[in-house]
Amino acid sequence: MTIRLYDTATREVRDFVPLQEGKVGLYVCGLTVQSEPHVGHVRSAVNFDVLQRWLRHRGFEVTFIRNITDIDDKILVKSAEQGRPWYNLAYAMKIELDKAYAALNVAPPTYEPAATGHIPEMIVLIERLIERGHAYPAADGSGDVYFDVRSWASYGELTHQGVDDMEPAADADPRGKRDPRDFALWKGRKESEPATASWPSPWGPGRPGWHIECSAMAGKYLGDAFDIHGGGVDLRFPHHENEQAQSRAAGGAFASYWMHNAWITTAGEKMSKSLGNTLSIPAILERYRGAELRFYVVAAHYRSHVEFSFDALDEAAVGYRRIEAFLDRAGTGEIGALPEAFATAMDDDLGTPAAVAVLYDTVREGNRLLAAGDDEAAAEAARSVAAMLDVLGVHPADPAWAGTGSSDGEARLTAAVDALVAGLLDERTQARADKDWARADAIRDRIKAAGIEVTDTPDGPTWTVS
Ligand SMILES: [Zn+2]
């Protein structure tokens, strides 16, 4: 058994060989805590949670670091707009993010370092880069320090680009830069920025650039060389290219494998705040259970682009309920043996679509066995199903779901109300067909009195709580 992973640096599926036998160092770029998490934000966390579960299942001891970026331009701009301290916004959004992760059964990483807690490590790293001739303080007195991309011949190797083809780095005023592509390691404090958002440094008060945060934190917790670096595909350039350039220019080997999950988009666009709140995790969890949403995310291959739709989420939720119903009927959720075909699919670059197909096949076979009265064989199938669900982090009996009771309860309540309203609407449809208008109106009034607004659509009536 060998795990094979697609390495985005070499652009090929490679056998996974860890630096130290039996151990894996995994670093995943976490989120910038600046707004309520939406479904596009949490895909990376779910995908890499599946990866660490699979590595552990295969017997590796995993040190998993997922950072949070709690200071950056966006946090400063948003907190100023909202008239609150930047650290207040960052902390509030961190709490929201933790809730979303818990609701989706994303296990906490081994450590979750915050950027603001690692400024001294970043300063040491920047000093080393200056000493080695790969970084320089801006000559304009701004207090900025830049990475000198021309000094590092391998710059662009991660994303297979030549320096001359790259866009200028838009992270700081370009006046003090030797090359417009040089990126900020340290940003001197601007008059307009709050004093609390700056830290003392050899170059004057300021704050770190985004990329140096991850290089410093990965180095601190995983060492100069580690196994896997992950994140969303949108982070490949400039963020990951710059992380790798900094860390290697400072003398480390950095990551052996790079893994990038694709986006969840809607209407062909990268999901953004402009879509409003309907896709925020709390909003989705009013309609679906965390396990259903996670199952939807997990069923797609992590490198496949997902076009989000509530229809597709419905379909995944229905599929998941069928699996739960089978476990109920078979009378066991005990964890048994993992089918070989499932393991083979997971070893092949986390092939979750093929793994989920094995899951569905096993449920189908189990239902057939139940129908045939072979309860013992059906129970064995159920134990296999439970093992697969457990590895994917969606076992219905996982105690993790207990902590998310309110959303679970809300989704069940919605389903119950839906069934009751549907029954009443059927009666109203029948009354209308019978031209019993008084009765049809009475039913409508009764629904309305319960605070439910019914809208007739070509596909039949729908309802909302008014
Ligand atoms: Zn990062």
Coordinates of all heavy atoms in Angstrom, one line a residue, residues 27 29-30 67 210-211 214 229 235 239-240 243, ligand 1:
Y27 N 1.4 21.3 6.5 CA 1.1 22.7 6.8 C 0.0 23.1 5.8 O 0.1 22.9 4.6 CB 2.3 23.6 6.6 CG 2.1 25.0 7.0 CD1 2.3 25.5 8.3 CD2 1.6 25.9 6.0 CE1 2.1 26.8 8.6 CE2 1.3 27.2 6.4 CZ 1.6 27.7 7.7 OH 1.3 29.0 8.1
C29 N -2.4 26.5 4.7 CA -2.7 27.9 5.0 C -4.2 28.0 5.4 O -5.1 27.6 4.7 CB -2.5 28.7 3.7 SG -0.8 28.8 3.2
G30 N -4.3 28.6 6.6 CA -5.7 28.9 7.1 C -6.2 30.2 6.5 O -5.7 30.8 5.6
N67 N -2.6 27.6 10.1 CA -2.5 28.9 10.8 C -3.8 29.7 10.6 O -4.7 29.3 9.9 CB -1.3 29.7 10.1 CG -1.7 30.2 8.8 OD1 -1.9 29.4 7.8 ND2 -1.8 31.5 8.6
W210 N 2.1 39.2 4.2 CA 1.3 38.0 4.4 C 2.2 36.7 4.2 O 2.1 35.8 5.0 CB 0.2 38.0 3.4 CG -0.7 36.8 3.3 CD1 -1.0 35.9 4.3 CD2 -1.3 36.3 2.1 NE1 -1.8 34.9 3.8 CE2 -2.0 35.1 2.5 CE3 -1.4 36.8 0.8 CZ2 -2.8 34.4 1.5 CZ3 -2.1 36.1 -0.1 CH2 -2.8 34.9 0.2
H211 N 3.0 36.7 3.2 CA 3.7 35.4 2.9 C 4.7 35.0 3.9 O 4.8 33.8 4.2 CB 4.4 35.6 1.5 CG 3.6 36.4 0.5 ND1 2.4 35.9 0.1 CD2 3.8 37.5 -0.1 CE1 1.9 36.8 -0.8 NE2 2.7 37.8 -0.9
C214 N 3.5 32.6 6.9 CA 3.5 31.1 6.8 C 4.9 30.5 6.8 O 5.1 29.4 7.3 CB 2.7 30.7 5.5 SG 1.0 31.0 5.7
H229 N 2.7 20.7 1.9 CA 2.1 22.0 2.1 C 0.8 22.1 1.3 O 0.8 21.7 0.1 CB 3.1 23.1 1.6 CG 2.7 24.5 2.1 ND1 1.4 25.0 1.9 CD2 3.4 25.5 2.6 CE1 1.4 26.2 2.4 NE2 2.5 26.6 2.8
L235 N -4.1 30.2 -3.9 CA -2.9 30.6 -3.1 C -1.6 30.3 -3.8 O -0.5 30.7 -3.3 CB -3.0 30.0 -1.7 CG -4.2 30.3 -0.8 CD1 -4.0 29.7 0.5 CD2 -4.3 31.8 -0.7
H239 N 1.1 33.7 -3.2 CA 1.4 33.3 -1.8 C 2.4 32.2 -1.7 O 3.4 32.3 -1.0 CB 0.1 33.1 -1.1 CG 0.2 32.8 0.4 ND1 0.9 33.7 1.2 CD2 -0.2 31.8 1.2 CE1 0.9 33.2 2.4 NE2 0.3 32.1 2.4
H240 N 2.1 31.1 -2.3 CA 2.9 29.9 -2.1 C 4.3 30.0 -2.8 O 5.3 29.5 -2.4 CB 2.2 28.6 -2.5 CG 1.1 28.3 -1.6 ND1 0.0 27.4 -1.9 CD2 0.8 28.7 -0.3 CE1 -0.8 27.3 -0.8 NE2 -0.3 28.1 0.1
E243 N 6.2 32.1 -0.4 CA 6.6 31.3 0.8 C 7.8 30.5 0.5 O 8.8 30.4 1.2 CB 5.4 30.4 1.2 CG 4.3 31.0 2.0 CD 3.4 29.9 2.5 OE1 3.8 28.7 2.7 OE2 2.2 30.2 2.5
Ligands
ZN1 ZN 0.2 30.5 3.7

